[in-house]
Amino acid sequence: MKKTFLSEGLVKCGFMAVLAAVAAQAEEGFKFNNLTVSPYVNLEYKYDSNVDNDRREFGDSILHVTPGVDLKYEGNDWGISADLFYGYSKYMKYDELDARRWGERVKAWWESEKGWNLVLGESYVQSKDSDSIIDGGRGLWRDREQLQFTGALAYKTERNRITVDAAYTDIDYHNDPKRYRQLYGWSRWSAGLEFARRLTDKTNFLLGGDIGQYSSDGAKHNGYKNESSFYSLQAGIGSRATEKITYRLMTGVSWFDYGNDDLTTGWIYTADVNWIINKKLAMTLVGSSYYQPSESVANQATKIYMLAAGLTYRPYKKLTGRFDLAWRREEEIRSSDYDEDLISARVRADYRFAKYMSVYAGFQYDKRFSQSSYYEYDRYLGLVGLRLSY
């Protein structure tokens, strides 16, 4: 159960800030009965101190332009939303890195008065930009494509809730191994089941498990198979401690079968905590751990640990600030030579100075630690931007 929803972006530390932004823009867009169309364009300048995410640092100034449109249609007990974007990045010094990127995301939901709830999602992204771990990425800078399908069906009674979910993800890297570190993509399917039992008016007991299979690129040689499978079981509690505090904490065990039927077993966890401190301040904490094929070492399995926290401050309606901090650790199962830790910190402020215009500025610092100094690096990112939206 853990990765289906985390992969959709719930690991974003700016989660509460996103909710605030959506609420602020709820009245925007062209209205066509139940359909809302909200076009936008972002114009951004960014300085990147390490465009290759490498121990040898090469800095450059980058101009980004990203037009897009948000669509939303709501019925009586169902709805659908979509986001489509296209972007172009222009490097001032290293123009061989100039790149286009595009993507889309669709989400549909339905709920009934009898306790049924259905959520379906699909997304596709093609990009050469860094994927920040603060926004749920892996901290990798490579030309890549990512396709994802998700779905969850839940049935709720007065004291119980049963949820069935399924997901498919495909990540394909196109990086040039002669210039950059070799990366191995993968495809993954999974299915999960979760049972929730109400213990008190505010607290549920949670029990969930999932199964799935990976197919990894670059692993089917030297006598190894490219398929690996996993099974996991977790238990915990979900609670609305107060009207302003909600949390979901689970822990358990996972079995991961990879390589030549090498079975590894380990402890895993899932955490999601939200606290609306007051009308101006909110905080969130999310995290998870799981197994997957290594994306940097052929024929390897990796255990991932993630933990992220975010603080959103909105002193008044037009100004929103936030601070995000994230940590990701990758441990190779067969060898510790490639164990890595990545830490990212980001501050950002958004100011809406006119009905259809806002400006923003931010700063981000990334640091990678590794058993091999060859893969360690520092990176600073500074940006300013203008957003035009209707």
Side-chain angles (χ1 to χ4, degrees):
M1 297 290 294
K2 58 188 181 299
K3 289 187 65 182
T4 299
F5 296 101
L6 291 178
S7 296
E8 286 189 290
L10 294 188
V11 295
K12 294 185 178 180
C13 296
F15 181 62
M16 299 304 295
V18 171
L19 293 181
V22 171
Q25 299 175 10
E27 301 302 321
E28 292 185 354
F30 300 98
K31 307 290 184 179
F32 304 96
N33 295 323
N34 291 347
L35 175 65
T36 303
V37 180
S38 304
Y40 65 87
V41 60
N42 290 340
L43 305 173
E44 184 177 290
Y45 165 81
K46 179 167 64 178
Y47 178 77
D48 188 339
S49 71
N50 192 346
V51 295
D52 284 334
N53 286 9
D54 191 76
R55 61 192 179 95
R56 297 171 299 175
E57 297 185 14
F58 298 94
D60 201 354
S61 296
I62 313 161
L63 299 178
H64 298 276
V65 55
T66 308
V69 60
D70 292 326
L71 305 170
K72 186 176 182 180
Y73 186 93
E74 290 187 326
N76 293 329
D77 56 2
W78 66 279
I80 185 169
S81 61
D83 173 37
L84 302 96
F85 74 89
Y86 175 88
Y88 182 77
S89 301
K90 175 63 180 177
Y91 287 72
M92 298 294 97
K93 186 184 301 184
Y94 304 105
D95 55 8
E96 68 272 16
L97 299 179
D98 293 354
R100 296 175 176 83
R101 62 192 186 281
W102 57 86
E104 48 81 15
R105 179 180 298 173
V106 180
K107 180 179 179 181
W109 60 269
W110 167 79
E111 59 184 13
S112 73
E113 296 179 354
K114 297 182 179 181
W116 290 96
N117 184 282
L118 175 67
V119 179
L120 300 174
E122 181 274 336
S123 65
Y124 171 81
V125 175
Q126 184 175 92
S127 179
K128 289 189 176 181
D129 291 342
S130 301
D131 60 342
S132 171
I133 63 171
I134 291 176
D135 297 320
R138 295 166 175 79
L140 298 174
W141 180 88
R142 295 295 185 270
D143 188 1
R144 68 191 184 280
E145 294 180 79
Q146 180 170 332
L147 174 68
Q148 185 174 61
F149 297 94
T150 59
L153 177 65
Y155 178 70
K156 183 179 180 181
T157 65
E158 183 178 352
R159 299 190 64 85
N160 303 313
R161 186 183 71 248
I162 298 177
T163 305
V164 179
D165 75 74
Y168 173 81
T169 303
D170 183 83
I171 296 179
D172 188 15
Y173 294 106
H174 301 285
N175 60 300
D176 182 358
K178 294 180 180 180
R179 296 183 58 191
Y180 302 111
R181 181 181 180 182
Q182 178 69 57
L183 293 176
Y184 304 97
W186 45 261
S187 59
R188 171 188 184 273
W189 68 264
S190 66
L193 177 67
E194 182 180 279
F195 173 74
R197 173 70 175 179
R198 193 177 73 178
L199 301 178
T200 69
D201 289 341
K202 295 181 179 180
T203 304
N204 292 333
F205 167 74
L206 305 175
L207 178 64
D210 59 1
I211 62 173
Q213 188 174 70
Y214 285 94
S215 180
S216 180
D217 296 338
K220 197 172 183 179
H221 64 275
N222 297 330
Y224 289 91
K225 61 183 182 180
N226 67 335
E227 294 182 345
S228 53
S229 56
F230 65 90
Y231 316 85
S232 66
L233 183 65
Q234 293 191 82
I237 57 173
S239 176
R240 178 174 58 83
T242 69
E243 292 296 330
K244 295 183 178 181
I245 300 175
T246 60
Y247 61 86
R248 175 186 173 88
L249 303 172
M250 299 182 72
T251 188
V253 62
S254 181
W255 298 266
F256 192 69
D257 186 0
Y258 69 101
N260 286 339
D261 298 318
D262 296 320
L263 181 65
T264 185
T265 305
W267 163 78
I268 58 173
Y269 64 87
T270 302
D272 188 350
V273 181
N274 291 283
W275 180 18
I276 302 176
I277 301 172
N278 53 47
K279 292 182 179 180
K280 297 181 179 180
L281 192 62
M283 184 175 68
T284 187
L285 174 71
V286 290
S288 66
S289 62
Y290 54 90
Y291 292 95
Q292 71 168 54
S294 174
E295 296 182 1
S296 56
V297 183
N299 312 131
Q300 257 282 20
T302 303
K303 188 173 184 182
I304 309 295
Y305 301 87
M306 295 192 303
L307 194 62
L311 187 66
T312 300
Y313 180 58
R314 197 176 187 187
Y316 57 97
K317 188 175 181 180
K318 293 184 177 181
L319 178 63
T320 301
R322 65 178 183 260
F323 172 72
D324 303 315
L325 181 65
W327 165 73
R328 175 184 172 92
R329 177 171 176 80
E330 298 187 6
E331 292 183 351
E332 302 295 343
I333 302 303
R334 289 197 184 100
S335 170
S336 63
D337 292 344
Y338 297 95
D339 289 356
E340 296 179 348
D341 291 89
L342 180 60
I343 298 175
S344 291
R346 179 173 66 188
V347 293
R348 173 165 167 156
D350 292 71
Y351 178 70
R352 193 175 187 86
F353 65 90
K355 185 175 182 180
Y356 305 120
M357 294 183 287
S358 59
V359 292
Y360 57 90
F363 177 81
Q364 180 172 327
Y365 173 71
D366 299 332
K367 174 69 175 179
R368 183 183 293 276
F369 302 91
S370 175
Q371 296 292 334
S372 172
S373 60
Y374 185 81
Y375 298 120
E376 293 187 338
Y377 68 82
D378 293 89
R379 185 183 185 212
Y380 304 87
L381 292 169
L383 64 88
V384 292
L386 171 68
R387 180 180 175 92
L388 308 174
S389 60
Y390 183 84

